[in-house]
Amino acid sequence: MADVYFNNPQRRTQLIGANTTVIVAGRRTGKTDSIASPFVLRNMQRMSGSTGGIVVPTFKHGLTNTIPGLLAAWKRWGFLNGVHYVVGRKPPKGFQTAIIEPTDYEHVISFYNGSRAIIISQDRPGSSNSLTLSWLLIDEAKFIDYERLKDETLPANGGIKSYFGKHSFNHSILILSDMPQTKKGSWFLHYEDKMDKELIATIEATVCEIWKVKQRIKNDRAAGKTPPEYLRKHLRHLDKQLNQMRSVAVYYKEYSSIENLQLLGETYIKQMKRDLTPLTFQTSILCQRIGIAKDGFYSSMREAHYYDASNFEYLDAMWADLAATGELLTLPTTVQQDSDVVPDMPLYIGMDYNANINWIVAGQPVGKRLNVVKSFYTKFERKIPALIADFCAYYETHQNKTVVFYYDTTALGSNYAVNEQDFRWVVVLLQIS
């Protein structure tokens, strides 16, 4: 296998190996690829027959982000779907059994050594009911409902001490996210106060000392010498100490995307600064803590205004494709993945017109409630015609072809985003065509 590159956040997280690890990092720092993937692989490899949980805010997120990232990294490291593990189906003959087998395998990754990883999505009620887990990966933590996590999932992470009590990573938790923008989404930031910095520093020093001792032993053997017995005893003593410290350690760290500059390049950072809003850039790229401004335009937005609406029948069919073929298909951008759209009702849209960015927000009234079912946007060289094309492609299978278009004076007499026609007629004509 070729050499594997890990950036500083990835290496540091793996070497410290704390029982509870919280990494808050900007986009493209490789959180799923080279922090989550080694964590899950280590636990499943070294705790044969164990069961762990991969917690995601929605099944759609797990299907499109978390699971593909894990499988892609494992494939690079030589672990193949259908050979070393299977997804979404009963393990084949030759695979070892788990200590506690799941009741069904629909949302389970099964390793050859009997280890299992169960996908726990918070938009599917009861995903973690009656589970006995030995580890947890919590992805996109800023979107996780902490009350549900605390009541339903964390108590399941009790593991089986009689089997895995010797491992420092038994009952381990890895929490990953970029910087949250809401109070509710900030539930994991308090782990910073739980971290014993002196303990983490001692772990780092012990890891360094172990490396030095191993190098001395390696050099002796290369020179044809027998390493002194006291070195081997010292190494065993250090390993034991390190395991004990890791088993009680809490490690919290924040990283900006710039930490991965060697791979991302300066152009990516500059592009993100240009394309993203200042708030999103500061939180998602620079990983800075910023609360909602009291006088901000969206200061009244609260978590109660958001909801999830995944079409599980459609998403399960995509998951079944992974189980059958071993390759996860890219989810088509279609209304079929949404469960909150009423097929025989019109779509109601509003738009924003700008030289650099254009928006469509689509909704449907249900009684006294307005469900905002989708938003679309284009930037820079992609103008309103491209935006309308995206909208029409997404809703191509929608039964009711009526679109109610709300506009104000900004759609009249203006043409800087298209041509000599004003925005109103451009939108109307494009949708008709």
Side-chain angles (χ1 to χ4, degrees):
M1 187 177 68
D3 292 340
V4 178
Y5 171 80
F6 294 111
N7 60 31
N8 178 61
Q10 295 161 356
R11 288 195 307 271
R12 189 179 177 91
T13 302
Q14 293 180 49
L15 289 172
I16 290 174
N19 184 269
T20 299
T21 300
V22 181
I23 301 298
V24 185
R27 296 179 185 176
R28 302 285 302 278
T29 49
K31 295 189 292 293
T32 300
D33 184 273
S34 295
I35 296 179
S37 297
F39 171 82
V40 175
L41 186 61
R42 176 202 65 185
N43 293 346
M44 298 185 77
Q45 285 283 86
R46 297 182 63 184
M47 294 192 291
S48 298
S50 66
T51 300
I54 300 175
V55 185
V56 291
T58 66
F59 187 57
K60 179 181 176 181
H61 180 277
L63 187 61
T64 56
N65 295 83
T66 306
I67 303 304
L70 295 178
L71 304 191
W74 294 351
K75 185 176 182 179
R76 291 201 315 273
W77 302 335
F79 293 88
L80 304 179
N81 194 345
V83 178
H84 300 94
Y85 64 89
V86 294
V87 178
R89 60 187 175 95
K90 188 173 182 178
K93 290 182 179 180
F95 276 43
Q96 297 180 26
T97 58
I99 297 169
I100 302 176
E101 285 288 358
T103 54
D104 68 73
Y105 297 89
E106 185 178 4
H107 302 118
V108 177
I109 301 174
S110 301
F111 253 68
Y112 67 94
N113 64 350
S115 295
R116 309 287 184 251
I118 300 177
I119 315 303
I120 301 171
S121 56
Q122 288 202 319
D123 60 341
R124 300 185 86 130
S127 293
S128 54
N129 285 354
S130 304
L131 297 180
T132 301
L133 306 175
S134 294
W135 54 268
L136 282 175
L137 165 64
I138 303 172
D139 196 26
E140 288 290 358
K142 69 179 184 179
F143 298 122
I144 292 292
D145 185 329
Y146 179 65
E147 292 302 317
R148 288 192 60 186
L149 181 74
K150 180 181 64 175
D151 294 341
E152 300 176 10
T153 310
L154 291 182
N157 190 27
I160 308 173
K161 292 184 179 180
S162 59
Y163 284 88
F164 311 118
K166 65 179 181 179
H167 294 295
S168 63
F169 41 84
N170 187 34
H171 305 164
S172 57
I173 301 176
L174 175 61
I175 301 172
L176 299 174
S177 181
D178 56 1
M179 187 60 69
Q181 297 181 13
T182 67
K183 183 177 180 181
K184 185 176 181 180
S186 304
W187 62 269
F188 51 89
L189 300 184
H190 76 280
Y191 279 95
E192 183 176 21
D193 300 327
K194 297 182 178 181
M195 180 175 67
D196 186 335
K197 295 181 179 180
E198 291 185 4
L199 177 59
I200 297 300
T202 304
I203 290 175
E204 291 174 326
T206 304
V207 170
C208 184
E209 180 64 18
I210 288 174
W211 180 84
K212 291 179 180 179
V213 173
K214 286 183 176 180
Q215 282 298 113
R216 288 185 59 185
I217 293 175
K218 181 179 180 181
N219 292 339
D220 282 349
R221 287 173 176 165
K225 300 178 183 179
T226 301
E229 180 61 26
Y230 76 86
L231 276 183
R232 292 195 291 268
K233 287 183 178 179
H234 184 45
L235 184 59
R236 288 194 294 269
H237 176 68
L238 290 173
D239 281 334
K240 183 177 180 180
Q241 283 188 320
L242 180 61
N243 191 67
Q244 290 174 340
M245 290 186 291
R246 283 173 166 171
S247 68
V248 295
V250 174
Y251 178 56
Y252 177 95
K253 191 68 176 178
E254 297 175 4
Y255 295 103
S256 77
S257 300
I258 297 173
E259 291 281 352
N260 204 23
L261 188 64
Q262 188 172 354
L263 291 183
L264 296 179
E266 292 184 23
T267 302
Y268 173 80
I269 304 298
K270 291 178 180 178
Q271 181 182 352
M272 290 299 98
K273 187 174 183 180
R274 180 196 68 184
D275 292 354
L276 301 176
T277 64
L279 179 62
T280 302
F281 181 76
Q282 287 175 293
T283 55
S284 296
I285 302 298
L286 299 183
C287 202
Q288 296 177 349
R289 298 194 187 194
I290 298 176
I292 297 179
K294 292 182 179 179
D295 57 349
F297 189 76
Y298 297 107
S299 60
S300 296
M301 288 287 285
R302 295 292 181 266
E303 285 78 6
H305 295 120
Y306 316 144
Y307 67 93
D308 295 315
S310 298
N311 181 350
F312 292 122
E313 183 176 352
Y314 177 79
L315 296 175
D316 284 341
M318 299 299 294
W319 179 259
D321 287 336
L322 172 61
T325 65
E327 297 294 334
L328 191 63
L329 303 178
T330 301
L331 276 180
T333 53
T334 170
V335 68
Q336 290 174 288
Q337 57 190 277
D338 301 331
S339 66
D340 58 341
V341 177
V342 182
D344 57 355
M345 281 185 60
L347 293 166
Y348 296 75
I349 67 170
M351 297 184 63
D352 191 19
Y353 324 90
N354 189 282
N356 291 328
I357 185 169
N358 295 279
W359 284 91
I360 292 178
V361 176
Q364 288 184 317
V366 180
K368 295 183 178 180
R369 176 188 175 94
L370 174 63
N371 288 339
V372 179
V373 295
K374 183 68 176 175
S375 65
F376 306 79
Y377 70 90
T378 56
K379 289 184 176 182
F380 307 115
E381 68 279 355
R382 296 190 79 232
K383 301 298 183 181
I384 289 179
L387 180 63
I388 297 300
D390 291 346
F391 173 87
C392 292
Y394 191 85
Y395 287 108
E396 182 178 4
T397 60
H398 190 67
Q399 295 176 14
N400 191 317
K401 304 301 182 183
T402 301
V403 177
V404 180
F405 175 32
Y406 290 96
Y407 59 88
D408 58 13
T409 55
T410 61
L412 304 175
S414 299
N415 55 37
Y416 59 79
V418 266
N419 46 40
E420 71 279 357
Q421 296 176 311
D422 63 21
F423 300 144
R424 173 192 54 173
W425 284 112
V426 169
V427 172
V428 170
L429 293 174
L430 284 171
Q431 289 200 57
I432 292 174
S433 61

